[in-house]
Each structure stands twice: as C-alpha cells, then as structure tokens.
Amino acid sequence: MEITEFIEKFAEAVEIDDASTLGADTMFRDLDEWNSLAGLSVIAMYDEEFGKTLHVPDFKKAQTIEDLYKLAL
C-alpha cells in the first residue's frame, strides 16, 4: 500500500473531508479533528483494514501520519 492510500483511509477514519490537506509529515495530534474518538477510530481502522493490532505504546510514540503508516506495513 502506498502512503497516499493510507492517508485517504486515515482521513476517513478521523472524518476529515479533504485528505489533500494531509501529508506524510502531518502531525496528526495537532489536527483540529483529533480527539480521543479519532484515536479509537484509527485503532479500529488498523484492525478492519489491515488485520493488525495497533499497540498503545507504538501509537503513543507515533507523531506523524508517516509514523502511523510505517506501523501498518
């Protein structure tokens, strides 16, 4: 999967209408849409889309969308 596809899925999970405003270097916790529900949606996305479990310590270390992308590989 390319990072652009991951960004689309991330935007959908976090309910961001225009994924083109996001990039690999976007600090996702600084987004206006980011809250605890968005975090749970991203965790659910890993399970549903990738069949992976996003572990809390890894999630806490992630700062950018690219960091999250690397955890999905």
Side-chain angles (χ1 to χ4, degrees), residues 1-4 6 46 64-73:
M1 168 188 358
E2 297 292 322
I3 193 161
T4 52
F6 180 84
Y46 273 76
T64 65
I65 292 177
E66 183 174 20
D67 294 339
L68 292 176
Y69 169 70
K70 290 177 181 176
L71 294 172
L73 299 178

Side-chain angles (χ1 to χ4, degrees), residues 15-67:
E15 298 183 0
I16 295 174
D17 295 328
D18 186 4
S20 69
T21 63
L22 304 174
D25 60 346
T26 299
M27 305 289 280
F28 63 90
R29 295 183 205 284
D30 292 341
L31 295 169
D32 290 340
E33 295 84 358
W34 189 258
N35 57 35
S36 58
L37 183 57
L40 291 174
S41 295
V42 169
I43 291 169
M45 175 189 75
Y46 273 76
D47 182 46
E48 293 171 13
E49 297 289 334
F50 312 115
K52 293 188 172 195
T53 300
L54 182 58
H55 299 285
V56 174
D58 296 332
F59 190 45
K60 285 184 176 182
K61 288 179 192 174
Q63 297 295 314
T64 65
I65 292 177
E66 183 174 20
D67 294 339

